[in-house]
Amino acid sequence: MIFARIALLPSGWAENVRVSGSAGRITEIVAQTHPHPDDTRVDALIPGMPNVHSHAFQRGHSGLTEMRGAGQESFWTWREMMYRFALSVSPEDVSALAEMAYVEMLEAGFTRVGEFHYLHHDPSGAPYDNPAELSERIFDAAETTGIALTHLPVFYAHGGFGPKPAGEGQRRFLHDIDAFIALIERCDKRITRPQDRVGFAPHSLRAASHEDLTALTAALPGRRLHIHISEQVKEVEDCLDHHGQRPVEWLLDNFDVGADWCLIHATHLTERETARLAACGAVAGLCPVTEANLGDGLFPAPDFLNAGGRIAIGTDSNVRIDVAEELRVLEYGQRLTKRARNVLAEEGGSTGRRLLDAALAGGAQALDAPSPEIAVDAPADLVSLSDPLDLAPNGDNLIDRWVFGRDVDVDHVWAAGEHVVQHGRHVRRDAVQHRFGEVLRRVLV
Ligand code: ZN
């Protein structure tokens, strides 16, 4: 049982709250009460955050792509390096990399991950004996660490608009439609926990053609669909060349984009695309830290939120894994360009709280998860924030201090009721980190 000085309930902040659970769900919430002797006592309790966009294996080269080569460095030069890394990892390596990423997600306050999984085949490009070998490694890592999984196997068939043939560096990613649907069916059978889901992810308009998207949406109805879109200016230009339209306007004109869809990045939008995307009910899956690291550009977040658009956050390349940092960089990008402060807050309201609420709701929608709230019958996916300064219990102020300040940190996390992070450390961190280090020392030589 957990006793929190303050807890963020659906009705707002409540004080002296005791939360009980059983079988992964919250069974009782009592406010204005007293702790029991065995309770885990925390300062502030909030719902766990969904992470809508991860490529777990990319955790392996976090911080290792910051050397400047000849000429201008860009997303595309980074991608060449990432492909070399992707071609070198074994199934055991994928397990170790994913476990490290998921341990760190839980330590950061993420309790569900949307794994946008495109590494499917062996290093030669041939399917493994079990074509779902690497997807199953992702399920294993989620189960080992405790994070809830929305698995998003990626459909990847082409190297560019046209369609252009895929490149050699993409050989581990490729499927035809039938083999991909067979993979989805295998992933469905691999589910053993009630919280896990299988959606699907056409990689991008570069890698999935109009015909592919038509076939996939017809064959896989009712599932969450994630797609990278409009991340790079070159991608917008190539789409204009090929389709005569920008990526998001083309997608909205040709497919029934709605609440089941999550558009990852959607960085480069016109005003009209921004308004239409907000109105259609899809989630914009923003990855502010990776977008900054890769030099992608800036999503028009103020216009999108003001038009009622739904946003979520993702750690994407896993160069950093931190809920507070994603929310902070989302706001700071706007401050730097608009030369203003508290751009994404509503008048009179907290910036941190607005972004937290938006990312919780949008993240759950995008990952087909129950509403992340501290309520009876909700999943016991809970995060506590420590307040060592013991300031007056103003919850919104504490969220702002977590996102923008220094004193407030995640200290405990429960995932489906399991107390997986204790005093800031995942209970399996030591073993997972040891194995992760061994993999990197071998792969990176
Ligand atoms: Zn991505």
Side-chain angles (χ1 to χ4, degrees):
M1 308 306 120
I2 307 164
F3 182 85
R5 285 185 62 211
I6 57 171
L8 182 56
L9 306 184
S11 54
W13 291 100
E15 295 185 21
N16 300 316
V17 179
R18 193 159 186 269
V19 178
S20 309
S22 167
R25 307 195 85 77
I26 296 170
T27 52
E28 188 180 34
I29 298 168
V30 183
Q32 302 294 355
T33 188
H34 299 283
H36 293 203
D38 302 342
D39 289 349
T40 301
R41 297 178 65 158
V42 302
D43 291 329
L45 198 66
I46 62 173
M49 177 64 73
N51 176 1
V52 295
H53 191 65
S54 159
H55 309 289
F57 79 88
Q58 293 182 13
R59 171 64 183 86
H61 50 74
S62 164
L64 295 171
T65 63
E66 312 300 326
M67 294 284 288
R68 183 165 175 173
Q72 173 114 1
E73 291 275 325
S74 70
F75 170 88
W76 309 100
T77 56
W78 171 86
R79 195 179 73 156
E80 286 305 312
M81 183 290 313
M82 182 270 285
Y83 282 0
R84 284 198 297 279
F85 187 86
L87 288 173
S88 65
V89 293
S90 69
E92 291 71 29
D93 298 339
V94 169
S95 295
L97 297 168
E99 284 182 14
M100 189 76 255
Y102 296 167
V103 158
E104 291 171 339
M105 286 176 200
L106 287 157
E107 289 178 344
F110 289 114
T111 52
R112 172 177 291 273
V113 60
E115 182 62 35
F116 197 104
H117 174 77
Y118 57 84
L119 199 54
H120 299 299
H121 307 313
D122 77 15
S124 77
Y128 287 101
D129 291 343
N130 170 6
E133 173 75 43
L134 296 183
S135 279
E136 295 196 1
R137 299 293 178 147
I138 296 295
F139 277 96
D140 293 345
E143 289 166 4
T144 300
T145 57
I147 199 164
L149 175 67
T150 299
H151 190 49
L152 300 162
V154 171
F155 177 83
Y156 203 118
H158 313 291
F161 290 96
K164 289 198 177 74
E168 264 297 287
Q170 295 159 342
R171 62 183 181 268
R172 296 187 78 173
F173 315 160
L174 307 174
H175 281 104
D176 61 26
I177 297 282
D178 289 346
F180 181 73
I181 289 167
L183 171 67
I184 296 287
E185 288 167 355
R186 277 181 179 265
C187 290
D188 282 343
K189 293 200 180 89
R190 175 60 185 75
I191 289 180
T192 57
R193 303 184 301 177
Q195 63 266 43
D196 291 344
R197 308 274 186 274
V198 177
F200 70 108
H203 178 274
S204 57
L205 299 184
R206 302 189 302 274
S209 68
H210 193 169
E211 294 70 28
D212 297 331
L213 281 171
T214 302
L216 291 169
T217 51
L220 299 166
R223 293 178 191 261
R224 290 298 184 272
L225 189 166
H226 288 221
I227 185 167
H228 288 132
I229 199 154
S230 220
E231 179 181 7
Q232 288 287 318
V233 171
K234 179 176 185 307
E235 173 193 343
V236 176
E237 292 167 351
D238 289 351
C239 190
L240 278 165
D241 280 350
H242 180 69
H243 287 304
Q245 284 185 298
R246 302 167 58 83
V248 169
E249 68 175 345
W250 181 83
L251 194 69
L252 293 172
D253 279 355
N254 286 281
F255 289 90
D256 187 18
V257 179
D260 289 350
W261 289 62
C262 181
L263 273 57
I264 303 299
H265 305 302
T267 307
H268 301 285
L269 300 178
T270 62
E271 281 181 26
R272 182 166 154 71
E273 284 176 312
T274 305
R276 288 183 67 195
L277 184 57
C280 81
V283 174
L286 309 178
C287 310
V289 171
T290 294
E291 289 156 7
N293 183 268
L294 296 180
D296 287 344
L298 201 61
F299 176 79
D303 289 349
F304 188 72
L305 286 173
N306 290 340
R310 302 170 196 193
I311 61 165
I313 54 169
T315 57
D316 194 0
S317 69
N318 294 314
V319 61
R320 300 272 299 163
I321 295 177
D322 190 323
V323 174
E325 190 167 340
E326 296 294 346
L327 300 178
R328 183 167 62 246
V329 173
L330 177 58
E331 165 72 16
Y332 278 0
Q334 298 298 328
R335 291 189 190 189
L336 286 163
T337 51
K338 293 197 178 310
R339 287 172 278 175
R341 301 191 72 252
N342 298 322
V343 178
L344 298 177
E346 290 173 302
E347 197 167 324
S350 140
T351 304
R353 175 68 191 281
R354 171 122 198 253
L355 296 177
L356 180 82
D357 286 350
L360 284 169
Q365 177 182 323
L367 296 183
D368 194 16
S371 177
E373 53 186 28
I374 303 176
V376 171
D377 287 337
D381 292 337
L382 300 164
V383 172
S384 76
L385 300 174
S386 64
D387 181 10
L389 301 186
D390 198 21
L391 298 186
N394 174 327
D396 286 359
N397 181 265
L398 184 128
I399 298 298
D400 281 335
R401 290 166 55 221
W402 176 42
V403 173
F404 298 102
R406 278 198 60 80
D407 304 310
V408 176
D409 275 313
V410 172
D411 60 352
H412 294 273
V413 177
W414 291 261
E418 291 290 318
H419 192 175
V420 291
V421 174
Q422 302 180 11
H423 305 289
R425 286 179 71 84
H426 192 282
V427 293
R428 297 178 61 89
R429 170 174 264 282
D430 289 344
V432 168
Q433 189 170 23
H434 179 77
R435 192 167 156 226
F436 175 72
E438 286 182 338
V439 168
L440 283 196
R441 287 189 290 277
R442 194 182 69 252
V443 170
L444 293 173
V445 290

